[in-house]
Amino acid sequence: MRLRLLVPLLAGALVVLPGCGGGGGTTTVRNPRGTVTVDHGRTLAVTFSTNPGIGFDWERGTPNPDPAVLRPRAASRTGADRPGAGGEVRYPFDARRAGTTAIGFVHFYRGKVVERRTLRVTVR
């Protein structure tokens, strides 16, 4: 008898779980150029390879995105915890409403600017 009660409860839980999150999720782009598109309500994660131990790094630059369209969150780094080891820097942004905006990034090598890159982002 207990098994018959448990099965409908589990089935109901399975129906509810996929709906959690409200259309969220993350769209990750690595070393992007040009224009990227992300759906409203998702997080856009822009990632670049880095190796700060040898002076190879990326930072946010100008222009700053329109915060009504794309809100920046705190950057994070992975790897590169040992001398000479490479890793990634990840810049997340919340896609807040439909529109187009731009984000600037600066590529450094041994303290000198190697490249300035502007990424256009369309939120739909």
Side-chain angles (χ1 to χ4, degrees), residues 17-37:
L17 288 176
C20 294
T26 301
T27 299
T28 301
V29 291
R30 287 180 167 69
N31 196 30
R33 294 182 182 275
T35 302
V36 298
T37 302

Side-chain angles (χ1 to χ4, degrees), residues 46-112:
V46 179
T47 64
F48 294 98
S49 296
T50 65
N51 194 328
I54 63 166
F56 180 86
D57 207 358
W58 286 89
E59 292 181 5
R60 284 269 315 276
T62 57
N64 288 311
D66 177 352
V69 175
L70 204 63
R71 182 178 54 136
R73 295 185 8 211
S76 62
R77 293 179 179 272
T78 59
D81 54 351
R82 296 179 320 270
E88 278 189 339
V89 60
R90 180 179 187 264
Y91 295 99
F93 302 87
D94 291 330
R96 300 183 71 182
R97 70 175 172 95
T100 300
T101 191
I103 313 166
F105 296 96
V106 182
H107 178 202
F108 292 93
Y109 182 67
R110 297 192 176 168
K112 295 183 181 177

